[in-house]
Amino acid sequence: MNQTKLAVIFYTMTGTNYEMAKWAKEAGEAAGAEVKLLRVEELASQEVIDSNEPWKNTYNTIRDIPVATAEDIDWADALIFSTPTRFGMISSQMKQFIDTLGGLWAQGKTINKAVSAMTSANNANGGQEATLLSFYTTMMHWGAVIVPPGYTSDKIAPAGGNPYGTSATLNEDGSIKEEVRPAVEHQVKRTLEIATKINQ
């Protein structure tokens, strides 16, 4: 059986979704998948980024990570997306990337991709569920197979209990609650299991 190919695609401003994406990459590799960790292109100017110290530090950390392309989507059997919530929707940077994929979609190359998504916000009611639900609408147009974690593991509830995808809320010091990582790992494992079944 061929090795399942997983693309983990993220946008981050202060590092939360980068951290979640790294956990997803490690979980994918632990499950035996071939994994690419990819970021979406930043739309803000360098001047704007430099004016915000945490953003600048994060950008300098991730800038050498490859930028996701349509070829990466075509390559992957499974896709994990990680994006902060912006007023209950995905970030504009992630949306811009998705909007570049019309040609791939028109060729039928997004059909039957196993897709799951994660998000983050500063508080538990910051729009995480709305962000994931709106993102999955696009995946329906793709003909992708949406793989929510649901309540398929006892790791879901301690991380916040979002059945649509792992949703990180932050501690007062800005760090991610430790219960989030096991939920991310379960979500990746589940997505890969479904991708493997699809491609049998």
Side-chain angles (χ1 to χ4, degrees):
M1 184 183 300
N2 291 333
Q3 191 175 22
T4 302
K5 299 185 290 291
L6 170 66
V8 179
I9 301 172
F10 72 94
Y11 175 74
T12 197
M13 184 176 164
T14 58
T16 300
N17 286 274
Y18 172 48
E19 192 72 19
M20 294 169 72
K22 287 192 296 181
W23 293 340
K25 176 181 182 289
E26 292 166 6
E29 290 170 342
E34 180 181 355
V35 186
K36 290 183 180 182
L37 178 66
L38 305 159
R39 65 182 177 92
V40 298
E41 190 71 77
E42 180 57 77
L43 301 179
S45 68
Q46 192 65 50
E47 180 181 11
V48 170
I49 295 170
D50 288 345
S51 70
N52 181 309
E53 196 68 20
W55 193 356
K56 180 175 75 171
N57 292 339
T58 298
Y59 186 69
N60 288 337
T61 299
I62 68 169
R63 68 188 318 157
D64 293 332
I65 294 172
V67 172
T69 66
E71 288 73 26
D72 295 313
I73 301 294
D74 189 21
W75 168 85
D77 303 307
L79 298 159
I80 299 283
F81 291 92
S82 190
T83 176
T85 181
R86 293 287 185 263
F87 302 106
M89 294 183 285
I90 63 174
S91 66
S92 58
Q93 291 85 350
M94 184 65 75
K95 181 64 164 63
Q96 192 271 343
F97 171 65
I98 296 295
D99 285 349
T100 67
L101 300 174
L104 197 70
W105 165 82
Q107 297 173 62
K109 292 186 175 181
T110 59
I111 294 171
N112 289 343
K113 302 287 183 183
V115 176
S116 202
M118 309 182 295
T119 191
S120 66
N122 285 334
N123 57 75
N125 296 302
Q128 293 99 321
E129 290 187 0
T131 296
L132 296 176
L133 287 169
S134 63
F135 181 78
Y136 290 148
T137 299
T138 300
M139 298 302 102
M140 294 177 203
H141 283 256
W142 276 19
V145 178
I146 299 168
V147 187
Y151 296 110
T152 56
S153 167
D154 60 7
K155 307 293 190 296
I156 306 302
N162 190 340
Y164 309 117
T166 305
S167 301
T169 53
L170 305 183
N171 295 308
E172 288 186 9
D173 64 358
S175 62
I176 307 174
K177 295 180 186 298
E178 64 181 17
E179 295 86 357
V180 171
R181 182 168 188 164
V184 170
E185 293 169 344
H186 172 72
Q187 185 170 350
V188 172
K189 182 180 177 183
R190 176 168 160 75
T191 302
L192 289 172
E193 287 173 352
I194 299 302
T196 300
K197 291 179 180 179
I198 292 168
N199 290 291
Q200 281 178 342

